[in-house]
Amino acid sequence: MQSRFFPAIPPPARRDALAGILLTLMIAASVAPGVSLLPAGLLGWAAALLLSYRLGRRQRIQSAWLIGLGGAGIAWGTLHGTPFKASPIFASNQGLVSLLAAVSFLRLVARPGGMDLDLPAPRGRKALWRTLLGVHLFGAVINLSTVVILGDRMATRGRLGKRRALALTRGFAAAAFWSPFFSAMAAALTYAPGARLSVVVLAGLPMAALALWLTTRDIDPEDPKLGAPFIGYPMRFSALWIPGLLVLIVLTVHALVPDWSILAIIAFSAPLLTILILIAQRGFEAWPPLREHIARGLASTVNELALFLAAGVLAAGLISVTGSLGDWLPFERFGAPQASLLLIVMVGAAALGVHPVIAIASFGVWLAPLHPEPNLLAITLLMSWAIGVPANPLSGLHLMMQGRYGIDGYAFLRWNAGYVLKCLGVAIALLHVYAALLGA
């Protein structure tokens, strides 16, 4: 609608392009060390408003609740003596949001199977392991798009069987135990300040290995009682040089500039590496795919963008409320028993449909006055995400599987119940081991 007083609302394609430009500027504004994240946060919020038409009803309601609860907390705290600050409201999750947008550029250059779509689909245990490792390793860097790439190739008439669906979703979710490029790691490092990436990654690898092994046992392709034979993905592990190079760059830069946060290094390195590879591969033809991604590809991150921004408002509200409560804390200390209880509560909340980032923001803020051992807290938060996603029937991963392949999200809750309980049991045991090693 257009009048003399109200300009016409830009069409969807224009809104996507404008939001893409804002998100690109947001990444640039968030990577400089020692600079306030408030400008980057405002750019992210402007992009989210432009893309709000893309949000589904569930995402709108969830984001509105988070913002409303956060706003109520801020008002309560302000009325009870907590100073009002704008920066936590608009930028408390900015490192996470910038990481999400920056890593999406890697889709342009990291392809698990290349372009050889005519290769025969492999079968059997070897195919299962190659598919699991493929979705795990590529998903650890280029995130959810890996599941779509592999799922579309493995689907039969647009449908995936139980075995293939579980291999893709569990293999992908297990990367949250350790991947520096996952939103899970960004959230853990945000709400466990001082945690060391190397320690957290090494602690997560055994859990990831266990998760993959449990999955191969549950969907044994040689067992005829479990259904149709497993048909895997023709994985090309030679393409892993790009994710491997990015990991090397991030670790090298972090060693040279330890004061530069890991999240900022990744947000800077991922788009830059993508641009350099495209120039090396295509020369003057590198610009069209970059332009396409900025104009359309970045808009596809809107669901996560809105959720993480809204969760940041909730975190700001919780900070304001806890600041007005004086010395009251949920625990007297944060050791292995408390970490185990926290993990159980967060996975239970995930099974009820609560997104892990909401639980992480809530408990991370709540526990901050205790000054918990940061590595133990970060490991616990990562475990809650990696185990909670398979338990969550309403996670973005399962909603994508439902919309694209017709698998009900609550089917995953049934299928993954035993897997989740086994992972929980081992995770609690490992938390006690880690706490002893860390002196927590």
Side-chain angles (χ1 to χ4, degrees):
M1 181 177 181
Q2 186 174 11
S3 71
R4 292 183 351 180
F5 303 102
F6 298 99
I9 297 175
R14 180 67 61 84
R15 296 176 74 174
D16 289 355
L18 289 173
I21 293 171
L22 291 176
L23 290 174
T24 304
L25 293 173
M26 177 196 72
I27 296 171
S30 67
V31 299
V35 176
S36 171
L37 291 177
L38 181 57
L42 294 174
L43 288 168
W45 276 99
L49 290 174
L50 281 171
L51 297 173
S52 59
Y53 79 95
R54 282 175 164 260
L55 291 174
R57 180 174 178 272
R58 176 178 171 272
Q59 284 79 16
R60 290 175 184 271
I61 293 174
Q62 189 174 43
S63 297
W65 269 105
L66 293 176
I67 294 171
L69 290 173
I74 293 166
W76 170 274
T78 302
L79 292 174
H80 289 79
T82 301
F84 177 82
K85 296 180 181 178
S87 184
I89 301 173
F90 296 105
S92 59
N93 273 351
Q94 189 52 48
L96 197 160
V97 173
S98 296
L99 178 83
L100 169 74
V103 167
S104 71
F105 280 84
L106 292 170
R107 303 172 192 168
L108 301 177
V109 293
R111 301 280 296 184
M115 300 305 294
D116 297 324
L117 299 181
D118 56 340
L119 293 176
R123 298 168 180 258
R125 285 198 180 100
K126 185 177 180 180
L128 172 58
W129 271 111
R130 289 179 67 87
T131 302
L132 268 177
L133 290 174
V135 73
H136 183 76
L137 295 175
F138 280 99
V141 178
I142 61 175
N143 290 321
L144 194 57
S145 58
T146 305
V147 179
V148 176
I149 294 170
L150 271 65
D152 286 354
R153 177 68 170 82
M154 295 165 62
T156 302
R157 292 185 292 276
R159 291 291 184 266
L160 288 170
K162 175 181 176 181
R163 280 171 159 166
R164 284 174 280 179
L166 288 179
L168 291 176
T169 54
R170 289 188 190 176
F172 171 74
F177 282 115
W178 64 271
S179 172
F181 310 105
F182 246 55
S183 300
M185 183 66 78
L189 296 181
T190 297
Y191 292 101
R196 293 176 57 194
L197 179 65
S198 58
V199 173
V200 177
V201 169
L202 288 175
L205 289 174
M207 280 301 304
L210 171 77
L212 297 180
W213 178 74
L214 286 174
T215 300
T216 61
R217 287 179 58 85
D218 288 348
I219 55 176
D220 181 2
E222 304 297 336
D223 187 347
K225 294 181 294 184
L226 297 179
F230 182 84
I231 302 174
Y233 184 87
M235 188 64 57
R236 282 183 171 269
F237 288 105
S238 58
L240 278 172
W241 72 269
I242 294 175
L245 179 59
L246 181 59
V247 171
L248 180 62
I249 291 172
V250 170
L251 295 179
T252 301
V253 173
H254 184 59
L256 295 174
V257 193
D259 293 335
W260 199 6
S261 76
I262 285 288
L263 302 185
I265 294 172
I266 297 172
F268 174 78
S269 302
L272 180 61
L273 180 62
T274 299
I275 292 170
L276 293 176
I277 292 174
L278 284 174
I279 291 174
Q281 291 176 344
R282 306 191 184 193
F284 292 109
E285 296 300 317
W287 172 239
L290 283 169
R291 181 179 57 198
E292 178 71 12
H293 184 70
I294 292 172
R296 293 181 176 83
L298 285 172
S300 66
T301 65
V302 62
N303 287 330
E304 294 88 350
L305 175 68
L307 177 63
F308 296 158
L309 289 173
V313 178
L314 175 64
L318 290 171
I319 292 172
S320 184
V321 169
T322 54
S324 67
L325 294 179
D327 296 329
W328 185 87
L329 293 172
F331 306 121
E332 293 183 359
R333 63 182 299 271
F334 187 77
Q338 294 80 14
S340 302
L341 178 61
L342 178 64
L343 178 62
I344 293 171
V345 170
M346 294 177 79
V347 172
L352 296 176
V354 178
H355 193 284
V357 75
I358 300 172
I360 287 174
S362 301
F363 287 106
V365 169
W366 204 15
L367 294 171
L370 278 176
H371 304 290
E373 205 291 321
N375 293 311
L376 179 62
L377 178 57
I379 292 167
T380 307
L381 298 180
L382 281 177
M383 286 180 170
S384 74
W385 190 300
I387 301 174
V389 165
N392 191 334
L394 302 177
S395 67
L397 174 62
H398 291 156
L399 290 176
M400 185 277 292
M401 296 295 285
Q402 178 173 335
R404 200 170 188 92
Y405 307 113
I407 304 173
D408 180 40
Y410 287 91
F412 285 103
L413 179 61
R414 298 192 304 272
W415 295 342
N416 287 327
Y419 166 83
V420 167
L421 292 175
K422 292 172 187 175
C423 285
L424 258 181
V426 176
I428 290 170
L430 287 177
L431 283 175
H432 283 77
V433 173
Y434 296 150
L437 293 174
L438 297 170

